[in-house]
Amino acid sequence: MTARRKLLMVSVGVAGALSLLSVADAKGFRRYLALRQDVDALQVRNQSLAQQNEALRQEINALRKDPAALERAVREELGYVKPGELVFHLESP
């Protein structure tokens, strides 16, 4: 066996051992996969929060510019009633 072939075999053996160690080690490949899943989950949550932010921005603009939207918000969220209006509270069983 030539020296070059021996060096190749040793290199392959060391690479294989390091690969197994990486898979078996809690801080190795398994940790990478777990962190990758966390990153993916955070990206999905980020998108959801960005959509909520955009919806809130649109609502803010509507409340600033549209009197009907402002009246609707005041009535729904604060329970305001115009003078002379009757309010009926219906409860479901």
Side-chain angles (χ1 to χ4, degrees):
M1 205 183 291
T2 65
R4 187 176 178 142
R5 186 159 175 89
K6 285 181 185 178
L7 182 61
L8 180 62
M9 295 298 271
V10 169
S11 298
V12 168
V14 169
L18 289 175
S19 296
L20 287 174
L21 187 63
S22 174
V23 170
D25 184 20
K27 294 181 182 177
F29 191 68
R30 288 186 295 160
R31 177 144 171 84
Y32 166 77
L33 291 177
L35 290 174
R36 187 75 228 155
Q37 287 177 343
D38 289 348
V39 167
D40 292 341
L42 288 173
Q43 287 175 340
V44 169
R45 180 155 163 68
N46 242 3
Q47 284 181 330
S48 171
L49 291 174
Q51 290 172 351
Q52 288 177 3
N53 282 343
E54 184 56 33
L56 290 172
R57 250 186 236 102
Q58 289 175 356
E59 185 176 352
I60 288 169
N61 287 335
L63 291 174
R64 286 182 179 161
K65 297 176 182 175
D66 186 11
L70 182 60
E71 181 179 348
R72 177 195 49 78
V74 168
R75 287 172 172 271
E76 287 177 4
E77 295 175 18
L78 301 177
Y80 280 22
V81 179
K82 287 183 181 179
E85 288 184 333
L86 295 175
V87 178
F88 295 96
H89 292 281
L90 304 175
E91 295 180 12
S92 60

Coordinates of all heavy atoms in Angstrom, one line a residue:
M1 N 0.8 -1.2 0.0 CA 0.0 0.0 0.0 C 0.9 1.2 0.0 O 1.8 1.3 0.8 CB -0.9 0.0 1.3 CG -2.1 0.8 1.0 SD -3.2 0.9 2.5 CE -3.9 -0.7 2.7
T2 N 0.6 2.2 -0.8 CA 1.4 3.4 -0.9 C 1.1 4.4 0.2 O 0.0 4.3 0.9 CB 1.2 4.1 -2.3 OG1 -0.2 4.5 -2.3 CG2 1.5 3.1 -3.4
A3 N 2.0 5.3 0.4 CA 1.8 6.3 1.4 C 0.6 7.2 1.1 O -0.2 7.6 2.1 CB 3.0 7.1 1.6
R4 N 0.4 7.4 -0.1 CA -0.8 8.3 -0.5 C -2.1 7.6 -0.2 O -3.0 8.2 0.3 CB -0.7 8.6 -2.0 CG -1.7 9.5 -2.5 CD -1.5 9.9 -3.9 NE -2.5 10.8 -4.3 CZ -2.4 11.8 -5.2 NH1 -1.2 12.0 -5.7 NH2 -3.4 12.5 -5.5
R5 N -2.1 6.3 -0.4 CA -3.3 5.5 -0.2 C -3.6 5.4 1.3 O -4.7 5.5 1.8 CB -3.2 4.1 -0.8 CG -4.5 3.3 -0.7 CD -4.5 2.2 -1.7 NE -5.6 1.3 -1.6 CZ -6.8 1.5 -2.2 NH1 -6.9 2.5 -3.0 NH2 -7.7 0.6 -2.0
K6 N -2.5 5.3 2.1 CA -2.7 5.2 3.6 C -3.2 6.6 4.1 O -4.1 6.6 5.0 CB -1.3 4.9 4.2 CG -0.9 3.5 4.1 CD 0.4 3.3 4.8 CE 0.9 1.9 4.6 NZ 2.2 1.7 5.3
L7 N -2.7 7.6 3.6 CA -3.1 9.0 4.0 C -4.6 9.2 3.6 O -5.4 9.7 4.4 CB -2.3 10.1 3.3 CG -2.6 11.5 3.6 CD1 -2.4 11.7 5.1 CD2 -1.7 12.5 2.8
L8 N -5.0 8.7 2.5 CA -6.4 8.8 2.0 C -7.3 8.0 3.0 O -8.4 8.5 3.4 CB -6.6 8.3 0.6 CG -8.0 8.3 0.0 CD1 -8.5 9.7 0.0 CD2 -8.0 7.7 -1.3
M9 N -6.9 6.8 3.3 CA -7.7 5.9 4.2 C -7.8 6.6 5.6 O -8.9 6.6 6.2 CB -7.1 4.5 4.4 CG -7.1 3.8 3.1 SD -8.8 3.5 2.5 CE -9.1 2.0 3.3
V10 N -6.7 7.1 6.1 CA -6.7 7.8 7.4 C -7.6 9.0 7.4 O -8.4 9.3 8.3 CB -5.3 8.2 7.9 CG1 -5.3 9.1 9.1 CG2 -4.5 7.0 8.2
S11 N -7.6 9.8 6.3 CA -8.4 11.0 6.1 C -9.9 10.6 6.1 O -10.7 11.3 6.7 CB -8.1 11.7 4.8 OG -6.7 12.2 4.9
V12 N -10.2 9.5 5.4 CA -11.6 9.1 5.3 C -12.1 8.6 6.7 O -13.2 8.9 7.1 CB -11.8 8.0 4.2 CG1 -13.1 7.3 4.3 CG2 -11.6 8.5 2.8
G13 N -11.2 7.9 7.4 CA -11.6 7.4 8.7 C -11.8 8.6 9.7 O -12.8 8.6 10.5
V14 N -10.9 9.6 9.6 CA -11.1 10.8 10.5 C -12.4 11.5 10.2 O -13.1 12.0 11.0 CB -9.8 11.7 10.4 CG1 -10.1 13.0 11.1 CG2 -8.6 11.0 11.0
A15 N -12.6 11.7 8.9 CA -13.8 12.4 8.4 C -15.1 11.7 8.9 O -16.1 12.3 9.3 CB -13.8 12.6 6.9
G16 N -15.1 10.3 8.8 CA -16.2 9.5 9.2 C -16.4 9.6 10.7 O -17.5 9.8 11.2
A17 N -15.3 9.6 11.5 CA -15.4 9.7 12.9 C -15.9 11.1 13.3 O -16.8 11.2 14.2 CB -14.0 9.5 13.6
L18 N -15.5 12.1 12.7 CA -16.0 13.5 13.0 C -17.4 13.6 12.6 O -18.2 14.3 13.3 CB -15.1 14.5 12.3 CG -13.7 14.7 12.8 CD1 -12.9 15.7 11.9 CD2 -13.7 15.2 14.2
S19 N -17.9 13.0 11.5 CA -19.3 13.1 11.2 C -20.1 12.4 12.2 O -21.2 12.9 12.6 CB -19.5 12.4 9.8 OG -18.8 13.1 8.8
L20 N -19.7 11.2 12.6 CA -20.5 10.5 13.7 C -20.5 11.3 15.0 O -21.5 11.3 15.7 CB -19.9 9.1 13.9 CG -20.1 8.1 12.8 CD1 -19.4 6.8 13.1 CD2 -21.6 7.8 12.7
L21 N -19.4 11.9 15.3 CA -19.3 12.7 16.5 C -20.3 13.9 16.5 O -20.9 14.2 17.4 CB -17.9 13.1 16.8 CG -17.6 13.8 18.1 CD1 -17.9 12.8 19.3 CD2 -16.2 14.3 18.1
S22 N -20.3 14.5 15.3 CA -21.2 15.6 15.1 C -22.6 15.2 15.2 O -23.4 16.0 15.8 CB -20.9 16.2 13.7 OG -21.8 17.3 13.5
V23 N -23.0 14.1 14.7 CA -24.4 13.7 14.8 C -24.8 13.3 16.2 O -25.8 13.5 16.7 CB -24.7 12.5 13.8 CG1 -26.0 11.9 14.1 CG2 -24.6 13.0 12.4
A24 N -23.8 12.6 16.9 CA -24.1 12.1 18.3 C -24.0 13.3 19.3 O -24.7 13.2 20.3 CB -23.1 11.0 18.6
D25 N -23.2 14.3 19.1 CA -23.0 15.4 20.0 C -24.2 16.3 20.1 O -24.8 16.7 19.1 CB -21.8 16.2 19.6 CG -21.4 17.3 20.6 OD1 -21.9 17.1 21.8 OD2 -20.7 18.2 20.3
A26 N -24.7 16.6 21.3 CA -25.9 17.4 21.5 C -25.6 18.8 20.9 O -26.6 19.5 20.6 CB -26.3 17.5 22.9
K27 N -24.4 19.3 20.9 CA -24.1 20.6 20.4 C -23.7 20.6 18.9 O -23.4 21.6 18.3 CB -23.0 21.2 21.1 CG -23.3 21.5 22.6 CD -22.2 22.2 23.3 CE -22.5 22.4 24.8 NZ -21.4 23.0 25.5
G28 N -23.9 19.5 18.3 CA -23.5 19.3 16.9 C -24.7 19.5 15.9 O -25.4 20.4 16.0
F29 N -24.8 18.5 15.1 CA -25.8 18.5 14.0 C -27.2 18.6 14.5 O -28.0 19.3 13.9 CB -25.6 17.3 13.1 CG -26.3 17.4 11.8 CD1 -26.0 18.3 10.8 CD2 -27.4 16.5 11.5 CE1 -26.7 18.4 9.7 CE2 -28.1 16.6 10.4 CZ -27.8 17.6 9.4
R30 N -27.5 17.9 15.5 CA -28.9 17.9 16.1 C -29.2 19.3 16.6 O -30.4 19.7 16.4 CB -29.0 16.9 17.2 CG -29.0 15.4 16.7 CD -29.3 14.5 17.8 NE -28.2 14.5 18.8 CZ -28.3 14.1 20.1 NH1 -29.4 13.6 20.5 NH2 -27.3 14.2 20.9
R31 N -28.3 19.9 17.2 CA -28.5 21.3 17.7 C -28.8 22.2 16.5 O -29.6 23.1 16.5 CB -27.4 21.8 18.5 CG -27.5 23.2 19.0 CD -27.0 23.4 20.3 NE -26.9 24.8 20.7 CZ -28.0 25.5 21.3 NH1 -29.1 24.9 21.5 NH2 -27.9 26.7 21.6
Y32 N -28.0 22.0 15.4 CA -28.2 22.8 14.2 C -29.6 22.7 13.7 O -30.3 23.6 13.3 CB -27.2 22.4 13.2 CG -27.5 23.0 11.8 CD1 -27.3 24.3 11.5 CD2 -28.1 22.1 10.8 CE1 -27.6 24.8 10.2 CE2 -28.4 22.6 9.6 CZ -28.2 24.0 9.3 OH -28.5 24.4 8.1
L33 N -30.1 21.4 13.6 CA -31.4 21.2 13.1 C -32.5 21.8 14.0 O -33.5 22.4 13.5 CB -31.7 19.6 13.0 CG -30.9 18.9 11.9 CD1 -31.2 17.4 11.9 CD2 -31.2 19.5 10.5
A34 N -32.3 21.7 15.3 CA -33.3 22.3 16.2 C -33.3 23.8 16.1 O -34.3 24.5 16.0 CB -32.9 21.9 17.7
L35 N -32.1 24.4 15.9 CA -32.0 25.9 15.7 C -32.6 26.3 14.4 O -33.3 27.3 14.3 CB -30.6 26.4 15.8 CG -30.0 26.3 17.2 CD1 -28.5 26.7 17.2 CD2 -30.7 27.2 18.2
R36 N -32.4 25.4 13.4 CA -33.0 25.7 12.1 C -34.5 25.7 12.1 O -35.2 26.6 11.6 CB -32.5 24.7 11.1 CG -32.9 24.9 9.7 CD -32.0 26.0 9.1 NE -32.9 26.9 8.4 CZ -32.7 28.1 8.2 NH1 -31.6 28.7 8.5 NH2 -33.5 28.9 7.6
Q37 N -35.1 24.8 12.9 CA -36.6 24.8 13.1 C -37.0 26.0 13.8 O -38.1 26.6 13.5 CB -37.0 23.5 13.9 CG -36.9 22.3 13.0 CD -37.3 21.0 13.8 OE1 -37.3 21.0 15.1 NE2 -37.5 19.9 13.1
D38 N -36.3 26.4 14.8 CA -36.6 27.7 15.6 C -36.6 28.9 14.7 O -37.5 29.7 14.7 CB -35.6 27.9 16.7 CG -35.8 26.9 17.9 OD1 -36.8 26.1 17.9 OD2 -34.9 26.8 18.7
V39 N -35.6 28.9 13.8 CA -35.5 30.1 12.9 C -36.7 30.1 11.9 O -37.4 31.1 11.7 CB -34.2 30.0 12.1 CG1 -34.2 31.0 10.9 CG2 -33.0 30.3 13.0
D40 N -37.1 28.9 11.4 CA -38.3 28.8 10.5 C -39.6 29.2 11.3 O -40.4 30.0 10.7 CB -38.4 27.4 10.0 CG -37.3 27.0 9.0 OD1 -36.6 27.9 8.5 OD2 -37.1 25.8 8.8
A41 N -39.7 28.8 12.5 CA -40.9 29.2 13.3 C -40.9 30.7 13.6 O -42.0 31.3 13.5 CB -40.9 28.4 14.6
L42 N -39.8 31.3 13.8 CA -39.7 32.7 14.1 C -40.0 33.5 12.8 O -40.6 34.6 12.9 CB -38.3 33.1 14.6 CG -38.1 32.6 16.1 CD1 -36.7 32.9 16.5 CD2 -39.1 33.3 17.0
Q43 N -39.6 33.0 11.7 CA -39.9 33.7 10.4 C -41.4 33.7 10.1 O -42.0 34.7 9.7 CB -39.1 33.0 9.3 CG -37.7 33.4 9.3 CD -36.9 32.7 8.2 OE1 -37.3 31.6 7.7 NE2 -35.7 33.2 7.9
V44 N -42.1 32.5 10.4 CA -43.5 32.5 10.3 C -44.2 33.4 11.2 O -45.1 34.2 10.8 CB -44.0 31.0 10.5 CG1 -45.5 31.0 10.6 CG2 -43.5 30.1 9.4
R45 N -43.7 33.5 12.5 CA -44.3 34.4 13.4 C -44.1 35.9 13.0 O -44.9 36.7 13.2 CB -43.7 34.1 14.8 CG -44.3 35.0 15.9 CD -44.2 34.4 17.3 NE -44.3 35.4 18.4 CZ -45.4 36.0 18.7 NH1 -46.5 35.8 18.0 NH2 -45.4 36.9 19.7
N46 N -42.9 36.1 12.5 CA -42.6 37.5 12.0 C -43.6 37.9 10.9 O -44.0 39.0 10.9 CB -41.2 37.5 11.4 CG -40.3 38.4 12.2 OD1 -40.7 39.0 13.2 ND2 -39.0 38.5 11.7
Q47 N -43.8 37.0 10.0 CA -44.8 37.3 8.9 C -46.2 37.6 9.5 O -46.8 38.6 9.0 CB -44.9 36.2 7.9 CG -43.7 36.1 7.0 CD -43.9 35.0 6.0 OE1 -44.5 34.0 6.3 NE2 -43.3 35.1 4.8
S48 N -46.6 36.8 10.4 CA -47.9 37.0 11.1 C -48.0 38.4 11.7 O -48.9 39.1 11.6 CB -48.2 35.9 12.1 OG -49.3 36.2 12.8
L49 N -46.9 38.7 12.5 CA -46.9 40.0 13.2 C -46.8 41.2 12.2 O -47.4 42.2 12.4 CB -45.7 40.1 14.1 CG -45.8 39.2 15.3 CD1 -44.5 39.2 16.1 CD2 -46.9 39.6 16.2
A50 N -46.1 41.0 11.1 CA -46.1 42.0 10.0 C -47.5 42.3 9.5 O -47.9 43.4 9.2 CB -45.1 41.7 8.9
Q51 N -48.2 41.2 9.2 CA -49.6 41.4 8.7 C -50.5 42.1 9.8 O -51.3 42.9 9.4 CB -50.2 40.0 8.4 CG -49.5 39.4 7.2 CD -50.0 37.9 6.9 OE1 -50.6 37.3 7.8 NE2 -49.6 37.4 5.8
Q52 N -50.3 41.7 11.0 CA -51.1 42.4 12.1 C -50.7 43.9 12.2 O -51.6 44.7 12.3 CB -50.8 41.7 13.4 CG -51.5 40.4 13.6 CD -51.1 39.7 14.9 OE1 -50.5 40.3 15.8 NE2 -51.6 38.5 15.1
N53 N -49.5 44.2 12.0 CA -49.0 45.6 12.0 C -49.6 46.3 10.9 O -50.1 47.5 11.1 CB -47.5 45.7 12.0 CG -46.8 45.4 13.3 OD1 -47.5 45.4 14.3 ND2 -45.5 45.1 13.2
E54 N -49.7 45.7 9.7 CA -50.3 46.4 8.6 C -51.8 46.7 8.8 O -52.3 47.7 8.4 CB -50.0 45.6 7.3 CG -50.5 46.3 6.0 CD -49.9 47.6 5.8 OE1 -48.7 47.9 6.2 OE2 -50.6 48.5 5.3
A55 N -52.5 45.7 9.3 CA -53.9 45.8 9.6 C -54.1 47.0 10.6 O -55.0 47.8 10.5 CB -54.5 44.5 10.1
L56 N -53.3 47.0 11.6 CA -53.4 48.1 12.6 C -53.1 49.5 12.0 O -53.7 50.5 12.3 CB -52.5 47.8 13.8 CG -52.9 46.7 14.7 CD1 -51.8 46.4 15.7 CD2 -54.2 47.0 15.4
R57 N -52.1 49.5 11.1 CA -51.8 50.8 10.4 C -52.9 51.3 9.6 O -53.3 52.5 9.6 CB -50.6 50.6 9.5 CG -49.3 51.3 10.0 CD -48.2 51.2 9.0 NE -47.0 50.6 9.6 CZ -46.6 49.3 9.5 NH1 -47.2 48.5 8.7 NH2 -45.6 48.9 10.2
Q58 N -53.6 50.3 8.9 CA -54.8 50.7 8.1 C -55.9 51.2 9.0 O -56.6 52.2 8.7 CB -55.2 49.5 7.3 CG -54.3 49.2 6.1 CD -54.7 47.9 5.4 OE1 -55.7 47.3 5.8 NE2 -54.0 47.6 4.3
E59 N -56.1 50.5 10.2 CA -57.1 51.0 11.1 C -56.8 52.4 11.6 O -57.7 53.2 11.8 CB -57.3 50.0 12.2 CG -58.4 50.3 13.2 CD -58.7 49.2 14.2 OE1 -58.0 48.2 14.2 OE2 -59.5 49.5 15.1
I60 N -55.6 52.6 12.0 CA -55.2 53.9 12.5 C -55.5 55.0 11.4 O -56.0 56.1 11.7 CB -53.7 54.0 12.9 CG1 -53.5 53.2 14.1 CG2 -53.2 55.4 13.0 CD1 -52.0 52.9 14.5
N61 N -55.1 54.7 10.2 CA -55.4 55.7 9.1 C -56.9 55.9 8.9 O -57.3 57.1 8.7 CB -54.8 55.2 7.8 CG -53.3 55.4 7.8 OD1 -52.7 56.2 8.5 ND2 -52.6 54.6 7.0
A62 N -57.7 54.9 9.0 CA -59.1 55.0 8.9 C -59.7 55.8 10.0 O -60.5 56.7 9.8 CB -59.8 53.6 8.9
L63 N -59.2 55.6 11.3 CA -59.7 56.4 12.4 C -59.3 57.8 12.3 O -60.0 58.7 12.8 CB -59.1 55.7 13.7 CG -59.7 54.4 14.1 CD1 -59.0 53.8 15.3 CD2 -61.2 54.4 14.3
R64 N -58.2 58.1 11.7 CA -57.7 59.5 11.6 C -58.5 60.3 10.5 O -58.7 61.5 10.6 CB -56.2 59.6 11.2 CG -55.4 59.3 12.4 CD -53.9 59.4 12.0 NE -53.1 59.1 13.2 CZ -51.8 58.8 13.1 NH1 -51.2 58.7 12.0 NH2 -51.1 58.6 14.2
K65 N -58.9 59.5 9.4 CA -59.5 60.2 8.2 C -61.0 60.0 8.1 O -61.6 60.8 7.4 CB -58.7 59.7 7.0 CG -57.3 60.1 7.0 CD -56.6 59.5 5.8 CE -55.1 59.9 5.9 NZ -54.3 59.2 4.8
D66 N -61.5 58.9 8.5 CA -62.9 58.6 8.3 C -63.8 58.7 9.5 O -63.6 57.9 10.5 CB -63.0 57.1 7.7 CG -64.4 56.7 7.3 OD1 -65.2 57.6 7.2 OD2 -64.6 55.5 7.0
P67 N -64.7 59.7 9.6 CA -65.5 59.8 10.8 C -66.4 58.6 11.0 O -66.7 58.3 12.2 CB -66.4 61.1 10.4 CG -65.7 61.8 9.3 CD -64.9 60.7 8.6
A68 N -66.8 57.9 10.0 CA -67.7 56.8 10.2 C -66.9 55.7 10.9 O -67.4 55.0 11.8 CB -68.2 56.3 8.9
A69 N -65.6 55.5 10.5 CA -64.8 54.5 11.2 C -64.6 54.8 12.6 O -64.6 54.0 13.5 CB -63.5 54.3 10.4
L70 N -64.4 56.1 12.9 CA -64.2 56.6 14.3 C -65.4 56.3 15.1 O -65.3 55.8 16.2 CB -63.8 58.1 14.3 CG -63.5 58.7 15.7 CD1 -62.3 57.9 16.3 CD2 -63.2 60.1 15.5
E71 N -66.6 56.6 14.6 CA -67.8 56.4 15.3 C -68.0 54.9 15.6 O -68.4 54.5 16.7 CB -69.0 57.0 14.5 CG -70.3 56.8 15.2 CD -71.5 57.3 14.5 OE1 -71.3 58.0 13.5 OE2 -72.6 57.0 14.9
R72 N -67.8 54.1 14.6 CA -67.9 52.6 14.7 C -67.0 52.1 15.9 O -67.4 51.4 16.7 CB -67.6 51.9 13.4 CG -67.6 50.4 13.6 CD -67.0 49.7 12.4 NE -65.7 50.1 12.1 CZ -64.5 49.9 12.7 NH1 -64.6 49.1 13.8 NH2 -63.4 50.3 12.3
A73 N -65.8 52.6 15.9 CA -64.8 52.1 16.9 C -65.2 52.6 18.3 O -65.2 51.8 19.2 CB -63.4 52.7 16.6
V74 N -65.7 53.8 18.4 CA -66.1 54.3 19.7 C -67.3 53.5 20.2 O -67.4 53.2 21.4 CB -66.5 55.8 19.6 CG1 -67.2 56.3 20.8 CG2 -65.2 56.6 19.4
R75 N -68.3 53.3 19.3 CA -69.5 52.5 19.7 C -69.1 51.1 20.1 O -69.6 50.5 21.1 CB -70.5 52.5 18.6 CG -71.2 53.8 18.4 CD -72.1 53.8 17.1 NE -72.9 55.0 17.0 CZ -74.1 55.1 17.5 NH1 -74.6 54.1 18.2 NH2 -74.8 56.2 17.4
E76 N -68.3 50.4 19.3 CA -68.0 49.0 19.5 C -67.1 48.8 20.7 O -67.3 47.9 21.5 CB -67.4 48.3 18.3 CG -68.3 48.1 17.1 CD -67.7 47.6 15.9 OE1 -66.4 47.3 15.9 OE2 -68.4 47.4 14.9
E77 N -66.0 49.6 20.8 CA -65.0 49.3 21.8 C -65.3 50.0 23.1 O -64.9 49.5 24.2 CB -63.6 49.8 21.2 CG -63.2 48.9 20.1 CD -61.9 49.4 19.4 OE1 -61.2 50.2 20.1 OE2 -61.7 49.0 18.3
L78 N -65.9 51.2 23.1 CA -66.2 51.9 24.3 C -67.6 51.9 24.7 O -68.0 52.3 25.8 CB -65.7 53.4 24.1 CG -64.3 53.6 23.8 CD1 -63.9 55.0 23.6 CD2 -63.4 53.0 24.9
G79 N -68.5 51.4 23.8 CA -69.9 51.2 24.2 C -70.7 52.5 24.2 O -71.7 52.6 24.9
Y80 N -70.3 53.5 23.5 CA -71.0 54.8 23.5 C -72.3 54.7 22.8 O -72.4 53.9 21.8 CB -70.1 55.9 22.9 CG -69.0 56.5 23.8 CD1 -68.6 55.7 24.9 CD2 -68.5 57.7 23.6 CE1 -67.6 56.3 25.7 CE2 -67.5 58.2 24.4 CZ -67.1 57.5 25.5 OH -66.2 58.0 26.3
V81 N -73.3 55.5 23.2 CA -74.6 55.5 22.6 C -75.0 56.9 22.4 O -74.7 57.8 23.3 CB -75.6 54.8 23.6 CG1 -77.0 54.8 23.0 CG2 -75.2 53.4 23.9
K82 N -75.6 57.2 21.3 CA -76.1 58.6 21.0 C -77.3 58.9 21.9 O -78.1 57.9 22.3 CB -76.5 58.7 19.6 CG -75.4 58.8 18.6 CD -75.9 59.0 17.2 CE -74.7 59.0 16.2 NZ -75.2 59.2 14.8
P83 N -77.5 60.1 22.3 CA -78.7 60.4 23.1 C -80.0 60.0 22.3 O -80.1 60.2 21.1 CB -78.6 62.0 23.2 CG -77.2 62.3 23.0 CD -76.7 61.3 22.0
G84 N -80.9 59.4 23.0 CA -82.2 59.0 22.5 C -82.1 57.6 21.9 O -83.2 57.1 21.5
E85 N -81.0 56.9 21.8 CA -80.9 55.6 21.3 C -81.2 54.6 22.4 O -80.9 54.8 23.6 CB -79.5 55.3 20.8 CG -79.2 55.9 19.5 CD -77.9 55.5 18.9 OE1 -77.0 55.1 19.7 OE2 -77.7 55.6 17.7
L86 N -81.9 53.5 22.1 CA -82.1 52.4 23.0 C -81.1 51.3 22.7 O -80.9 50.9 21.6 CB -83.5 51.9 22.8 CG -84.6 52.8 23.2 CD1 -86.0 52.2 22.9 CD2 -84.6 53.2 24.7
V87 N -80.6 50.7 23.8 CA -79.6 49.6 23.6 C -80.3 48.3 24.2 O -80.8 48.3 25.3 CB -78.3 49.9 24.4 CG1 -77.4 48.7 24.2 CG2 -77.7 51.2 23.9
F88 N -80.2 47.3 23.3 CA -80.7 46.0 23.8 C -79.5 45.0 23.9 O -78.8 44.8 22.9 CB -81.7 45.4 22.8 CG -83.0 46.2 22.7 CD1 -83.1 47.2 21.7 CD2 -84.0 46.0 23.6 CE1 -84.3 48.0 21.6 CE2 -85.2 46.8 23.5 CZ -85.3 47.8 22.5
H89 N -79.3 44.4 25.0 CA -78.3 43.4 25.2 C -78.9 42.1 25.1 O -79.8 41.7 25.9 CB -77.6 43.6 26.6 CG -76.8 44.9 26.7 ND1 -75.5 45.0 26.1 CD2 -77.1 46.0 27.3 CE1 -75.1 46.2 26.4 NE2 -76.0 46.9 27.1
L90 N -78.5 41.3 24.1 CA -79.0 40.0 23.9 C -77.9 38.9 24.4 O -76.8 39.0 24.0 CB -79.3 39.7 22.5 CG -80.3 40.7 21.8 CD1 -80.4 40.4 20.4 CD2 -81.7 40.6 22.5
E91 N -78.4 38.0 25.2 CA -77.5 37.0 25.8 C -77.9 35.7 25.2 O -79.1 35.3 25.1 CB -77.6 37.0 27.3 CG -77.1 38.2 27.9 CD -77.2 38.1 29.5 OE1 -77.4 37.0 30.0 OE2 -77.0 39.2 30.1
S92 N -76.9 34.9 24.8 CA -77.2 33.6 24.3 C -77.2 32.6 25.5 O -76.4 32.7 26.4 CB -76.2 33.2 23.2 OG -74.9 33.2 23.8
P93 N -78.0 31.6 25.4 CA -78.1 30.6 26.5 C -76.9 29.7 26.6 O -76.1 29.5 25.9 CB -79.3 29.8 26.2 CG -79.6 30.0 24.8 CD -79.0 31.3 24.4

